[in-house]
Structure formats: structure tokens, C-alpha cells
Amino acid sequence: AWQVAICHLFFNIIGICIWFPIPFLRKIPIEMARKLGVTTGKFGVWFPIIYVAIVFFAIPGVCYGIAVAATS
């Protein structure tokens, strides 16, 4: 659990170091979140379910499958 917590901490710190120092870069994640919210409001309840399924299951699954296929 500590390893995951430290990894998450450093991921967040690196994200802050990338997005925060330059003022115009700060707007990019905020605008992306705003557009995702508008899209969710426009297409209803099915969009977030499909989005989560693709982003958190399908894409990592394909990447994992490629990694397993490449090492065997």
C-alpha cells in the first residue's frame, strides 16, 4: 500500500510541476474537464459509463495484452 501511495504522490507532484508553472498551461486540464462535463450533460447517463469502461478497462487491457504478447 505504501508503494502505491508514494507512486500516486509523485505522479501528482510531477503533474503539478508540468501544469502549474506556466499560466496558459493551467487552463488546459480545466477546459478538458469542462468539455467532458458538457459532453456528459449532452449525451446523458450512458456517456460516463462508456467513457469509464474505455478509459479504465479497455485501453489498459489492450496495453496489458500487448505487453504480455510481447514478452511471451
Side-chain angles (χ1 to χ4, degrees), residues 40-54:
T40 300
K42 182 178 178 182
F43 290 110
V45 72
W46 64 270
F47 178 78
I49 294 169
I50 299 297
Y51 177 82
V52 168
I54 291 172

Side-chain angles (χ1 to χ4, degrees), residues 25-66:
L25 285 180
R26 295 178 199 170
K27 296 178 183 177
I28 294 173
I30 294 171
E31 287 299 319
M32 290 172 62
R34 186 172 288 129
K35 287 180 184 179
L36 189 59
V38 168
T39 305
T40 300
K42 182 178 178 182
F43 290 110
V45 72
W46 64 270
F47 178 78
I49 294 169
I50 299 297
Y51 177 82
V52 168
I54 291 172
V55 171
F56 292 105
F57 294 104
I59 293 173
V62 168
C63 293
Y64 182 73
I66 291 171

